[in-house]
Amino acid sequence: MSKFAALNGVEAQALRQSLSLTQQQLAELTKQSLEDVVAWEANEKPMPTPVEKKLLEIDDLIEMQVVNTSDGIEALFKKEPKRRLAFVVYPTQAIYTQYNPEFVSSLPLTELYNTSAWRIKKECKLVLDVDVTLVPLDVEAYKAYREQNELKENRESRAKWAATQLK
Amino acid sequence: MSKFAALNGVEAQALRQSLSLTQQQLAELTKQSLEDVVAWEANEKPMPTPVEKKLLEIDDLIEMQVVNTSDGIEALFKKEPKRRLAFVVYPTQAIYTQYNPEFVSSLPLTELYNTSAWRIKKECKLVLDVDVTLVPLDVEAYKAYREQNELKENRESRAKWAATQLK
């Protein structure tokens, strides 16, 4: 994607929307003014090249995460066949930053992680016929679960808790 | 996609956003109240099954259009190799309904057509290395072009006009 010719207004808007970002979120993410974002999408001025590059890189990263995660799930299910899986997402930026810091540098906003999670859900259904449920982390319930089961805080414990949330 | 288990709030929101619809647009599209849409996404009540089915069908239709259009472009380019292509989109609902009525029954909103167009652009770049530019139909400029070149109004004339808009 990163070799796209410069995006026009309708394309700039479509890219932002495909990442599930508001104009305000895009402005903050790219350190530009809201007025500038509005102007790009109205085709009144071009999106600066570094901004376009950053957004297309994020889109590429999401696509990569979708492929890698689907591959991981496929490998996992060869050993242990299941047709359902819980995938933890983070309901607020504060919770995302606290619990999923390794993703913050590549996907800075919890909305971007959700976008990725949704595409993973679609891909797993389509390619693997696995039902992925996105489970927003409930911090209190998760803490109680960890105490009950004497678990440390880590990705595996979050996944275990999330699995208990599948009906 | 249509065999998904019922979507929870975060998934309902992700689906809507992946289609680039606002809550208001989703409410109108599905003939539900805005309050209901907000409640689904807050996980306060489940999205009704027919609504979920309709949205997933639209998502499937978009995926199909992406595949079919990319295949069509690939076939076209075997005869006539190009690396650039203009793809007409419609800046308002009125223009969409007037000029692209054959899509209105499957993709009722111009925003859904844009979503499809963006995915086509991505797919063509990734798979065919073809640069697709989304060109919003400028009704006045298009009319002048048709008069000048004595062209009837149809998809082919729109595509010809759009090609003149590539820089």
Side-chain angles (χ1 to χ4, degrees):
Chain A
M1 286 287 287
S2 17
K3 283 174 194 165
F4 266 160
L7 299 178
N8 64 28
V10 66
E11 294 168 339
Q13 183 183 39
L15 172 56
R16 171 179 62 77
Q17 290 179 326
S18 78
L19 298 171
S20 298
L21 297 178
T22 63
Q23 292 181 321
Q24 184 64 50
Q25 286 165 342
L26 185 71
E28 286 166 22
L29 178 66
T30 60
K31 298 186 177 65
Q32 308 282 311
S33 72
L34 179 58
E35 290 69 29
D36 278 341
V37 174
V38 172
W40 306 334
E41 297 189 2
N43 213 30
E44 284 162 9
K45 54 164 111 167
M47 184 183 270
T49 307
V51 170
E52 182 179 311
K53 195 161 170 280
K54 178 173 186 166
L55 294 177
L56 293 174
E57 276 171 6
I58 287 175
D59 196 59
D60 279 347
L61 276 167
I62 290 176
E63 295 292 351
M64 259 180 7
Q65 206 203 343
V66 171
V67 171
N68 291 342
T69 307
S70 310
D71 287 354
I73 290 172
E74 190 176 15
L76 183 72
F77 283 14
K78 276 186 184 152
K79 298 181 206 157
E80 187 188 353
K82 286 188 220 171
R83 300 267 70 95
R84 299 196 62 200
L85 191 80
F87 189 93
V88 179
V89 294
Y90 301 88
T92 68
Q93 187 65 21
I95 296 174
Y96 179 60
T97 309
Q98 183 184 346
Y99 284 92
N100 205 20
E102 62 272 35
F103 274 87
V104 170
S105 60
S106 53
L107 302 179
L109 298 175
T110 189
E111 287 81 5
L112 294 170
Y113 194 78
N114 281 351
T115 299
S116 173
W118 173 255
R119 292 192 199 168
I120 287 167
K121 180 180 168 81
K122 273 182 63 171
E123 182 77 5
C124 284
K125 183 68 192 174
L126 191 69
V127 179
L128 310 175
D129 195 26
V130 168
D131 264 312
V132 172
T133 299
L134 309 188
V135 179
L137 189 66
D138 177 332
V139 170
E140 292 311 311
Y142 169 55
K143 274 186 184 157
Y145 173 80
R146 279 203 291 128
E147 278 170 24
Q148 232 171 17
N149 295 278
E150 297 180 359
L151 294 171
K152 286 186 186 169
E153 198 306 285
N154 55 36
R155 180 164 298 272
E156 201 190 336
S157 299
R158 269 173 268 146
K160 278 186 183 165
W161 168 78
T164 68
Q165 303 298 301
L166 295 177
K167 272 163 211 154
Chain B
M1 285 287 284
S2 19
K3 282 174 194 165
F4 266 160
L7 299 177
N8 64 29
V10 65
E11 294 167 339
Q13 183 182 38
L15 172 57
R16 171 179 61 77
Q17 291 179 325
S18 77
L19 297 171
S20 299
L21 297 178
T22 64
Q23 291 182 322
Q24 185 64 51
Q25 286 166 341
L26 184 70
E28 284 165 22
L29 178 66
T30 60
K31 300 187 176 63
Q32 308 283 309
S33 71
L34 179 58
E35 290 68 29
D36 278 342
V37 174
V38 171
W40 305 335
E41 297 189 2
N43 213 31
E44 282 163 9
K45 52 164 112 168
M47 183 184 268
T49 307
V51 170
E52 182 179 312
K53 194 159 170 282
K54 177 172 187 168
L55 295 176
L56 292 174
E57 277 171 6
I58 287 175
D59 196 60
D60 279 346
L61 277 167
I62 290 176
E63 295 292 350
M64 259 178 10
Q65 206 203 343
V66 171
V67 170
N68 291 342
T69 307
S70 310
D71 287 354
I73 290 172
E74 190 177 14
L76 183 71
F77 283 14
K78 275 187 185 153
K79 298 180 205 158
E80 187 188 352
K82 286 188 219 170
R83 299 267 69 93
R84 298 195 64 199
L85 191 81
F87 189 95
V88 179
V89 294
Y90 301 88
T92 68
Q93 186 66 21
I95 296 174
Y96 178 61
T97 308
Q98 184 183 346
Y99 284 92
N100 204 21
E102 63 271 37
F103 274 87
V104 170
S105 61
S106 53
L107 301 180
L109 299 175
T110 188
E111 288 81 5
L112 294 171
Y113 194 78
N114 281 351
T115 300
S116 173
W118 173 254
R119 293 193 199 168
I120 287 168
K121 178 179 168 81
K122 274 183 63 170
E123 183 76 5
C124 285
K125 183 69 191 171
L126 191 68
V127 178
L128 309 175
D129 195 26
V130 168
D131 265 311
V132 173
T133 300
L134 308 189
V135 179
L137 189 67
D138 178 332
V139 170
E140 291 312 312
Y142 170 56
K143 273 186 187 159
Y145 174 81
R146 279 203 291 130
E147 279 170 25
Q148 231 170 18
N149 296 278
E150 298 181 359
L151 294 172
K152 287 186 185 170
E153 197 307 285
N154 56 35
R155 180 165 297 274
E156 202 188 336
S157 300
R158 270 173 267 148
K160 278 186 182 165
W161 168 79
T164 68
Q165 303 299 301
L166 294 178
K167 275 163 209 154

